[in-house]
Every structure is written in C-alpha cells, then in structure tokens.
C-alpha cells in the first residue's frame, strides 16, 4: 500500500488544509506534515480566492526561487510538480512515483493521475524537491 492511498478521496475545499478538505496547496501541506513532518507555509490570507490564479502563481514562483526548493529532473516520491492552468503556473501535484501524481482533481477530490500524459503533459512547468529531502532523507 502506498502512502498516497491515505489521501485519495480527500474532498476539495477552498483554503482547506486538513483531511476534511483541501485545495491543491493544502493537499501538499497535509501530505508534507503527516508523511514527512515538514511544515509548509499555509499561505492562508496570501490570496483572496483559489480562483485567483495570478496570486497563486506568484506564491508558487516565489517558492521556486526559495532556498527551500530545488528543481529536479529525476522525480521521486513527495516532490512537487507545478503545472500551468491557462497562463498561470497555479496547480500543484505531489509525486507518488515517477509518472504518477496525487493532486486535487478540479473541485472534486484527491486522485492519482499520470502527469506525463493527457492534459498534464504539456502543462508541466517543473518538479521541485524540498531542502529537507535533498539526499533522499524521506524516500
């Protein structure tokens, strides 16, 4: 059984940061806290609505410039994949294994999906590893 099975079906909830419901960043916060013991910033109050993609994109871009995140070309479990939605990089998926991510599928629930195919393949902006995971501490 994969760690990801514990999160499949978590309902979508705007600004959600718990198992009761999450948006895509909230799911990353939940997984990192529960599985890795890493507290990601919740960004609550940093944007008005999850629909405001420009603000979310700015948060993601700032994270990419942060010393806490390193771009990687060989994805591993728990890395974060960043995707464009429209013109903004505003969606996050958590790598389960190369080719498969856990993410909030629209306003539905957390699901597994292949990020190398379908709608996600052309939208992938990059994959990032948290500094506390460099060297494979949690793989």
């Amino acid at each position: 059984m994969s760690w990801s099975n514990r999160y499949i079906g978590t309902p979508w909830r705007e600004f959600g940061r718990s198992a009761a419901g999450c948006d895509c960043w909230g799911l990353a916060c939940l997984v990192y806290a529960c599985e890795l013991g890493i507290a990601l910033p919740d960004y609550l109050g940093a944007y008005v609505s999850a629909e405001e993609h420009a603000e979310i994109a700015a948060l993601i871009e700032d994270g990419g410039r942060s010393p806490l995140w390193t771009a990687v070309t060989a994805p591993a479990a728990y890395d974060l994949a960043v995707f464009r939605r429209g013109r903004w990089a505003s969606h996050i998926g958590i790598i389960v294994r190369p080719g498969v991510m856990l993410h909030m599928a629209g306003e539905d629930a957390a699901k597994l999906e292949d990020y190398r195919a379908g709608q996600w393949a052309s939208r992938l902006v990059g994959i990032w590893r948290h500094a506390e995971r460099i060297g494979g501490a949690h793989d």
Side-chain angles (χ1 to χ4, degrees):
M1 182 167 120
S2 170
W3 58 266
S4 62
N5 291 349
R6 290 188 283 280
Y7 303 95
I8 294 171
T10 300
W12 182 89
R13 189 174 84 194
E14 188 171 40
F15 305 118
R17 300 293 185 266
S18 73
C22 297
D23 55 25
C24 66
W25 182 254
L27 183 61
C29 291
L30 180 64
V31 167
Y32 266 61
C34 293
E35 301 297 321
L36 304 174
I38 297 172
L40 298 179
D42 64 21
Y43 292 131
L44 293 175
Y47 60 95
V48 177
S49 165
E51 294 301 313
E52 295 183 3
H53 298 297
E55 286 83 357
I56 297 168
L59 295 174
I60 291 168
E61 287 174 10
D62 286 345
R65 287 191 286 267
S66 165
L68 292 178
W69 296 98
T70 300
V72 296
T73 56
Y78 304 109
D79 290 343
L80 297 185
V82 177
F83 299 91
R84 276 186 344 275
R85 279 201 165 158
R87 62 183 182 159
W88 307 110
S90 62
H91 185 64
I92 298 286
I94 303 119
I95 302 295
V96 174
R97 62 183 177 274
V100 178
M101 69 173 169
L102 174 71
H103 74 119
M104 295 308 292
E107 292 184 7
D108 182 11
K111 297 179 180 175
L112 295 179
E113 198 164 351
D114 186 339
Y115 62 84
R116 299 174 300 186
Q119 68 174 328
W120 300 111
S122 64
R123 297 177 181 186
L124 181 64
V125 173
I127 298 175
W128 304 91
R129 184 164 299 150
H130 193 275
E132 291 186 39
R133 295 199 53 256
I134 301 298
H138 296 280
D139 292 339

